Amino acid sequence: MGNFMDLNIVETGQENPETIIFLHAEGLAGWIWNEQVKAFPDYHCLVPDLPEHGQSSGVKPFTIAGAAEMVVDLIQNRAHNGKAHLVGLSLGAQVAVQILATHPEVVDHALLTGTLLRTSSHNETLLNLVDSTFKSYEPVKDTKFFIKAYMRTYNISKDYFDQFQDSTRQISGDALYRILHENLFFMLPPGLEKADVPVLVMMGEKDYQVIKESAGDLDRTLPTSQTYIVPKKGHMWNMESPKLFNQTLRNFLTGNPIYLKLNR
């Protein structure tokens, strides 16, 4: 697959002592974190486009394990003091979970939101679901109608339309199948129970039930975790309510209470 130097990475605040790495959701790219990067000028921020996404679309093939190793390599080479705070959404949260299981020593804090986990192994029903999801999504993924409908579903401002469209166009059909497969089949990795790192597990109240169930699995497995539901918000609440997300993240990183009307 290559190493982290093959990835497109946006870097800001290199002079600051603590590093945050933002890991984006499936089918999108690092730009989904723009409002977070703006709100953390006092941190060293690294925002990669994951393999086969965005400006890293030529880095193949995407696997969660492979992407995790590239991010670990990035931390070891570019993060200050060889450690970073990880912030992951959806597929990016799965990559962060994999890192917590395999290399917890490079993680300072981790905020995981919208994380999907499987608790049983591959089966024919799920494989058929991947196939049917791919067959229905792939032909329409680049259409304006579908992109606008997707954005409405997650309550995302129409100002982001061009970025959404660019991201979907940059993903090929075969890459999309690999990404969906990795996302839907990701299981709790062995070793996660030994990750003695502060972890904030989050999801929007409007998120899918399986995401809420997965959050419970994470909370039971991780030795040092807190879990919260964000009222009235959806899967991509970092874009839907960036001020709320940013304050929550800052409170978590600085050891302050998670005040913001979050339900345990």
Side-chain angles (χ1 to χ4, degrees):
M1 177 184 282
N3 61 42
F4 79 92
M5 295 181 69
D6 298 323
L7 298 177
N8 181 73
I9 300 168
V10 172
E11 182 173 18
T12 63
Q14 192 171 10
E15 71 281 3
N16 296 316
E18 294 184 36
T19 301
I20 305 175
I21 295 182
F22 293 95
L23 301 170
H24 63 79
E26 62 277 6
L28 300 172
W31 59 265
I32 73 164
W33 299 112
N34 285 356
E35 291 303 314
Q36 281 66 57
V37 172
K38 287 180 196 172
F40 286 84
D42 50 335
Y43 282 81
H44 174 218
C45 296
L46 292 167
V47 191
D49 288 353
L50 294 172
E52 298 202 88
H53 290 80
Q55 298 299 317
S56 302
S57 58
V59 183
K60 302 177 180 180
F62 176 84
T63 66
I64 288 172
E69 288 300 320
M70 294 179 87
V71 174
V72 170
D73 197 19
L74 171 62
I75 294 170
Q76 292 171 337
N77 284 276
R78 298 267 287 275
H80 297 323
N81 303 313
K83 293 188 88 167
H85 306 297
L86 296 182
V87 180
L89 167 64
S90 202
L91 186 73
Q94 294 174 320
V95 172
V97 167
Q98 183 69 26
I99 294 169
L100 285 166
T102 57
H103 295 279
E105 72 281 357
V106 304
V107 184
D108 195 322
H109 291 68
L111 188 157
L112 313 172
T113 187
T115 318
L116 174 65
L117 295 172
R118 292 277 300 154
T119 54
S120 59
S121 58
H122 293 203
N123 60 58
E124 189 173 344
T125 301
L126 195 56
L127 278 170
N128 289 337
L129 175 62
V130 173
D131 287 341
S132 63
T133 301
F134 174 75
K135 286 174 183 175
S136 60
Y137 174 59
E138 200 272 339
V140 300
K141 74 180 182 70
D142 297 340
T143 65
K144 288 184 178 180
F145 175 82
F146 182 84
I147 295 166
K148 287 178 179 178
Y150 180 94
M151 292 173 69
R152 281 195 301 272
T153 298
Y154 293 113
N155 199 24
I156 305 302
S157 167
K158 60 185 178 182
D159 295 340
Y160 287 104
F161 176 82
D162 289 343
Q163 289 101 315
F164 268 91
Q165 187 172 58
D166 288 345
S167 291
T168 59
R169 287 176 173 174
Q170 285 165 328
I171 294 180
S172 64
D174 62 330
L176 177 64
Y177 186 85
R178 281 191 290 275
I179 292 162
L180 281 172
H181 190 279
E182 287 287 302
N183 175 236
L184 292 173
F185 280 109
F186 183 65
M187 297 180 67
L188 271 174
L192 191 63
E193 70 282 355
K194 298 176 183 176
D196 194 12
V197 173
V199 179
L200 187 58
V201 179
M202 307 199 74
M203 73 232 82
E205 185 179 13
K206 297 178 183 177
D207 226 325
Y208 306 107
Q209 183 60 32
V210 68
I211 298 290
K212 296 173 183 175
E213 294 168 1
S214 297
D217 293 333
L218 282 170
D219 193 46
R220 284 186 290 273
T221 304
L222 289 159
T224 317
S225 62
Q226 307 171 62
T227 302
Y228 292 95
I229 293 175
V230 189
K232 300 180 182 179
K233 303 302 175 188
H235 189 59
M236 300 181 67
W237 66 285
N238 69 302
M239 299 181 72
E240 184 182 358
S241 296
K243 289 182 180 178
L244 177 63
F245 188 97
N246 298 343
Q247 188 60 59
T248 303
L249 175 58
R250 185 171 290 277
N251 285 357
F252 175 55
L253 297 185
T254 55
N256 289 308
I258 310 299
Y259 289 120
L260 301 172
K261 297 182 181 177
L262 305 180
N263 295 334
R264 186 66 192 240

